[in-house]
């Protein structure tokens, strides 16, 4: 087994982790320890995933070319999802849908072939509501501690891909937030870089000044980023005042910029380069006809994207930093997404996917809890029954 991959026996084999906490949680020793953890971050989620959006935009135009069907055979991959909706989604009916965007850390950029496994290091839930002409993008922290559905362990959510690729990640996300995931798009870091380069770069105004892996960005400066630039812009988080939340915001900026650029004539002109990149680095269960429906019936919904983040708290499990999401936050996110999908909301008592973390659960699970309060940084061990045992505070 690759030592960089999760241990299939449980959480003991976690890779070097990072601490994803809210700004209110970041102070003193936590921040000092956090700054020491310098590791290459996995890829951007939906930004890569925008590969899907690119494919959506290109679908109608490319239908006239004979090579598109061949290329799409390499991209299309079905999965066996646990059933959450009462009825399957039919895009021809033009109803709200959800797409899980996954940025996976395999490829040359990470020096790891897909055959050796990987992690879903960036996760976003995209909803598209064609009737109301809007969409939402909810970022999920990569280190959220949750049940890995189909594997039976309590681990970081990004480990789900290592055990069961897209299928297990989808089922884990569905279970955590009690929401349906209708479609998925998975793209590697190599794919993200290739797509950005193929469409001629993306225009971004940096929200802060920082340096990352040889790339420099100035606050307020608008510039066109190539694939390497966009990757660096989306990955940095250790010197961002908002930590992982700031990184998620920058990822979402790149996604929106890619969407905008994808509809330009220059992007269409480079369709073969985009197709080549997607066929090697992207997988989705959206059929070619689905992409045509998305382009013709859902494209206007992507013009108005509302961003949403999952509020989380730092914790340590089995010696590794991870993330705790309270029951009330799962409840909020679940109903936020359900509302935009036009499906029935769940009650607070319906939420059963949250973990019980002594200390954190008592403070943050009640509906009237103060999510900005300082709970300290708790340390836990996970027993053989996937129970969290509080062993002290750091």
């Amino acid at each position: 087994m690759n030592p960089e991959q999760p241990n299939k026996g449980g959480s003991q084999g976690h890779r070097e982790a990072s601490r994803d906490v809210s700004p209110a949680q970041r102070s003193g020793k936590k921040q000092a320890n956090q700054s020491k953890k310098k590791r290459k971050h996995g890829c951007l989620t939906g930004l890569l995933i925008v590969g899907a959006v690119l494919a959506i935009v290109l679908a109608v135009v490319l239908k006239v070319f004979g090579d598109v069907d061949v290329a799409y055979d390499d991209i299309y991959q079905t999965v066996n999802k646990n059933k959450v909706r009462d009825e399957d989604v039919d895009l021809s009916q033009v109803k709200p849908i959800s797409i899980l965007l996954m940025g996976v850390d395999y490829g040359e950029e990470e020096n790891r072939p897909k055959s050796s496994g990987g992690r879903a290091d960036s996760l976003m839930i995209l909803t598209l509501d064609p009737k109301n002409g809007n969409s939402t993008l909810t970022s999920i922290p990569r280190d959220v501690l949750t049940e890995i559905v189909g594997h039976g362990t309590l681990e970081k959510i990004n480990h789900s891909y290592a055990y069961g690729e897209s299928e297990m990640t989808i089922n884990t996300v569905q279970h955590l937030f009690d929401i349906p995931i209708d479609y998925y798009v998975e793209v590697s870091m190599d794919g993200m870089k290739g797509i950005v380069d193929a469409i001629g770069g993306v225009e971004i105004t940096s929200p802060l000044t920082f340096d990352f892996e040889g790339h420099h960005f100035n606050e307020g400066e608008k510039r066109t980023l190539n694939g390497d630039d966009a990757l660096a812009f989306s990955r940095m988080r250790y010197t961002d005042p908002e930590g992982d939340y700031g990184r998620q915001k920058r990822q979402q900026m790149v996604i929106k910029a890619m969407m905008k650029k994808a509809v330009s004539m220059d992007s269409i002109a480079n369709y073969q380069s985009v197709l080549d990149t997607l066929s090697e680095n992207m997988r989705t269960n959206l059929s070619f006809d689905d992409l045509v429906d998305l382009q013709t019936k859902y494209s206007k919904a992507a013009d108005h994207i509302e961003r949403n983040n999952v509020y989380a708290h730092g914790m340590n499990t089995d010696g590794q930093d991870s993330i705790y999401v309270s029951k009330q936050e799962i409840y909020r996110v679940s109903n936020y997404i359900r509302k935009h999908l036009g499906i029935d909301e769940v009650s607070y008592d319906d939420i059963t996917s949250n973990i019980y973390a002594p200390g954190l659960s008592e403070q943050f699970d009640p509906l009237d809890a103060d999510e900005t309060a300082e709970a300290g940084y708790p340390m836990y061990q996970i027993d053989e029954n996937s129970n969290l045992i509080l062993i002290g505070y750091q």
Side-chain angles (χ1 to χ4, degrees):
M1 180 183 67
N2 186 332
E4 290 293 294
Q5 295 303 316
N7 185 321
K8 296 195 177 184
S11 60
Q12 294 290 342
H14 287 187
R15 290 178 60 180
E16 181 186 5
S18 57
R19 182 171 304 160
D20 295 60
V21 296
S22 68
Q25 293 286 336
R26 248 183 252 108
S27 62
K29 183 176 180 181
K30 299 180 204 175
Q31 192 171 35
N33 288 342
Q34 183 188 50
S35 65
K36 296 177 182 177
K37 295 174 182 168
K38 300 286 186 182
R39 117 170 155 71
K40 251 187 155 182
H41 219 298
C43 61
L44 1 215
T45 213
L47 30 130
L48 321 181
I49 240 31
V50 95
V53 180
L54 289 176
I56 293 168
V57 173
L58 293 170
V60 175
V61 176
L62 297 183
K63 196 150 180 124
V64 301
F65 295 93
D67 56 356
V68 69
D69 290 327
V70 175
Y72 206 75
D73 286 343
D74 296 329
I75 296 172
Y76 182 68
Q77 182 173 304
T78 60
V79 292
N80 292 317
K81 303 186 288 92
N82 293 336
K83 192 175 181 62
V84 178
R85 284 187 186 269
D86 293 332
E87 299 179 353
D88 292 334
V89 168
D90 183 349
L91 293 181
S92 65
Q93 296 179 0
V94 198
K95 293 183 178 180
I97 61 168
S98 63
I99 304 174
L100 181 63
L101 311 178
M102 288 182 278
V104 186
D105 68 348
Y106 62 79
E108 293 181 7
E109 181 67 27
E110 285 287 296
N111 194 28
R112 179 182 298 115
K114 184 174 181 179
S115 59
S116 68
R119 299 174 311 164
D121 263 357
S122 291
L123 292 169
M124 293 186 189
I125 302 168
L126 173 68
T127 69
L128 294 169
D129 183 353
K131 180 178 179 180
N132 294 310
N134 58 42
S135 59
T136 68
L137 197 60
T138 300
S139 297
I140 305 173
R142 58 188 284 277
D143 289 341
V144 167
L145 194 69
T146 187
E147 176 189 348
I148 306 299
V149 175
H151 193 256
T153 55
L154 190 64
E155 299 190 46
K156 297 177 184 180
I157 196 167
N158 67 335
H159 290 183
S160 57
Y161 188 89
Y163 299 134
E165 298 190 355
S166 297
E167 182 174 304
M168 191 170 290
T169 300
I170 291 169
N171 287 330
T172 297
V173 171
Q174 286 191 144
H175 172 71
L176 175 61
F177 294 110
D178 195 6
I179 57 169
I181 296 296
D182 302 313
Y183 300 99
Y184 80 95
V185 182
E186 165 201 323
V187 186
S188 74
M189 291 180 67
D190 291 349
M192 177 268 174
K193 288 175 55 179
I195 293 167
V196 170
D197 287 335
I199 63 176
V202 292
E203 192 172 81
I204 293 291
T205 301
S206 180
L208 70 163
T209 298
F210 67 94
D211 292 282
F212 186 73
E213 296 184 346
H215 299 264
H216 179 76
F217 303 92
N218 291 315
E219 180 179 357
E221 179 185 9
K222 180 184 290 187
R223 54 182 283 205
T224 299
L225 307 184
N226 63 21
D228 283 326
D229 295 332
L231 189 62
F233 180 79
S234 304
R235 293 169 69 185
M236 188 283 295
R237 64 174 172 160
Y238 290 112
T239 58
D240 191 313
E242 295 186 277
D244 194 57
Y245 291 94
R247 182 179 70 111
Q248 291 171 15
K249 290 178 181 178
R250 281 178 278 112
Q251 289 178 355
Q252 292 173 348
M253 288 175 64
V254 177
I255 293 174
K256 293 180 70 172
M258 291 175 75
M259 287 181 172
K260 181 178 180 180
K261 189 64 178 291
V263 300
S264 72
M265 288 307 295
D266 288 342
S267 299
I268 300 299
N270 292 329
Y271 84 93
Q272 188 60 60
S273 179
V274 173
L275 274 181
D276 290 344
T277 298
L278 295 181
S279 64
E280 295 177 3
N281 297 285
M282 172 181 155
R283 298 293 178 268
T284 181
N285 62 340
L286 286 159
S287 69
F288 193 83
D289 288 338
D290 289 335
L291 295 183
V292 174
D293 281 334
L294 282 172
Q295 163 62 14
T296 58
K297 301 171 183 176
Y298 287 78
S299 59
K300 288 186 178 180
D303 291 339
H304 306 283
I305 302 177
E306 181 178 296
R307 299 188 303 187
N308 181 44
N309 290 303
V310 177
Y311 196 98
H313 304 275
M315 63 192 301
N316 183 289
T317 52
D318 288 343
Q320 301 294 334
D321 294 316
S322 54
I323 291 293
Y324 166 79
V325 181
S326 70
K327 180 177 180 178
Q328 67 158 307
E329 178 64 357
I330 294 174
Y331 170 71
R332 182 193 71 81
V333 173
S334 178
N335 284 331
Y336 172 85
I337 293 174
R338 284 173 165 268
K339 178 181 178 180
H340 285 278
L341 290 177
I343 58 179
D344 292 340
E345 296 186 359
V346 294
S347 71
Y348 190 71
D349 291 337
D350 289 332
I351 302 299
T352 59
S353 61
N354 66 301
I355 62 173
Y356 176 71
L360 285 175
S361 291
E362 288 83 356
Q363 181 159 354
F364 296 122
D365 278 357
L367 277 171
D368 59 353
D370 179 7
E371 286 275 7
T372 64
E374 177 60 68
Y377 195 73
M379 302 175 68
Y380 299 90
Q381 288 182 344
I382 303 178
D383 67 15
E384 63 278 4
N385 296 315
S386 292
N387 296 315
L388 289 176
I389 310 300
L390 181 64
I391 59 175
Y393 290 87
Q394 181 175 316

